[in-house]
Amino acid sequence: MRGDHHGVAVRGGEGSQGAKWGRWFQRAVRLPTEHLEVELAFPDTLDPVVWGTETSMSAEASALRSAPSRREENGMRVFTWSTAQPVLHARYRLEWRFRARPEQDAMSGEFR
């Protein structure tokens, strides 16, 4: 994620299975920001999908105004999402799942 000189890299590997990073990444905008960009990379063998939501102090969560873009790069599926001048105090959340692996439902312990 890039925005106002801050950076965080989130890379999912074959063995991570969500244990280290979970299935989402969220960023709150607490200072005026000109540009916010998030990049997520996962092995393409996992067949990942990524989507996101935006929440503000005055509105419920809604789908991002623009969907993350996707590209293939060296065996990785890379998703990039960005916005110019994000709303102050908004929260942007990207979520993912791996279609090539059954996921265990945290609540029931069942696979879906």
Side-chain angles (χ1 to χ4, degrees):
M1 176 179 286
R2 287 177 258 157
D4 283 357
H5 311 294
H6 296 2
V8 174
V10 178
R11 289 199 165 266
E14 289 282 350
S16 71
Q17 298 179 17
K20 183 174 181 180
W21 293 105
R23 298 283 186 217
W24 56 271
F25 181 79
Q26 182 170 287
R27 180 69 172 207
V29 178
R30 294 194 175 108
L31 298 171
T33 303
E34 288 183 23
H35 183 81
L36 181 64
E37 182 173 305
V38 179
E39 186 169 275
L40 302 167
F42 303 101
D44 59 7
T45 56
L46 296 176
D47 195 16
V49 291
V50 173
W51 64 96
T53 57
E54 174 184 348
T55 306
S56 70
M57 294 176 73
S58 61
E60 296 286 323
S62 61
L64 293 173
R65 294 174 195 170
S66 61
S69 65
R70 179 181 117 179
R71 72 179 189 279
E72 306 291 326
E73 184 177 297
N74 300 321
M76 300 294 281
R77 192 166 297 165
V78 181
F79 297 88
T80 304
W81 175 81
S82 66
T83 186
Q85 299 179 331
V87 177
L88 194 59
H89 304 295
R91 290 184 187 273
Y92 297 94
R93 179 177 175 129
L94 290 174
E95 299 182 51
W96 55 87
R97 77 177 179 90
F98 304 129
R99 293 181 291 199
R101 289 204 176 144
E103 296 184 43
Q104 191 170 12
D105 186 307
M107 299 300 286
S108 68
E110 296 176 7
F111 287 95
R112 56 183 166 103

